[in-house]
Amino acid sequence: QVQLVESGGGLVQPGGSLKLSCAASGMTFNIRTWGWYRQAPGKQRELIAYVGNIPIYTAPVRGRFVISRDNAKMMVHLEMNSLKPENARVYYCNTAPEWSCQWGQGTEVTVSS
């Protein structure tokens, strides 16, 4: 089993920045690609960024968010810059481009003045 724990969310003003972290533990040896997903109420989770050998971003976050990974520590990070109210979501990590692990609790990002 793989356990995923997201952290780093919180309240930030529009235009501000946050850094999210994902700690993975368990049977992660064969996982090649990690991604960050976001979910709005009543919506499916959507993949916004993932990284295997190189980082890949979807258009809504490209140029503003930066995904990185530390294989030795089994961690994945997401630096979020120039945050907008529309970025206020619960963020999750999982394998990508298809999720295969049980979802963690997520970390909530709130963007408000």
Side-chain angles (χ1 to χ4, degrees):
Q1 299 182 42
V2 175
Q3 182 178 3
L4 304 173
V5 180
E6 300 93 344
S7 62
L11 175 64
V12 64
Q13 295 186 147
S17 299
L18 284 174
K19 183 178 181 179
L20 308 183
S21 297
C22 169
S25 61
M27 302 297 289
T28 63
F29 185 80
N30 293 324
I31 297 175
R32 296 167 49 234
T33 306
W34 286 104
W36 282 97
Y37 299 74
R38 67 183 183 184
Q39 184 176 36
K43 303 292 185 179
Q44 296 284 348
R45 295 178 180 87
E46 61 173 324
L47 180 65
I48 58 171
Y50 57 98
V51 58
N53 292 323
I54 60 172
I56 303 295
Y57 304 94
T58 60
V61 306
R62 187 177 298 116
R64 298 190 297 118
F65 293 7
V66 179
I67 187 172
S68 61
R69 64 188 297 175
D70 186 332
N71 291 335
K73 297 181 179 179
M74 294 191 294
M75 296 190 71
V76 188
H77 304 282
L78 185 69
E79 296 182 14
M80 310 168 68
N81 303 301
S82 300
L83 284 164
K84 307 173 182 179
E86 66 192 49
N87 299 136
R89 300 284 197 282
V90 178
Y91 287 78
Y92 302 84
C93 61
N94 213 310
T95 58
E98 294 283 340
W99 64 271
S100 63
C101 302
Q102 292 186 15
W103 297 102
Q105 82 285 357
T107 186
E108 184 172 6
V109 173
T110 302
V111 184
S112 176
S113 299

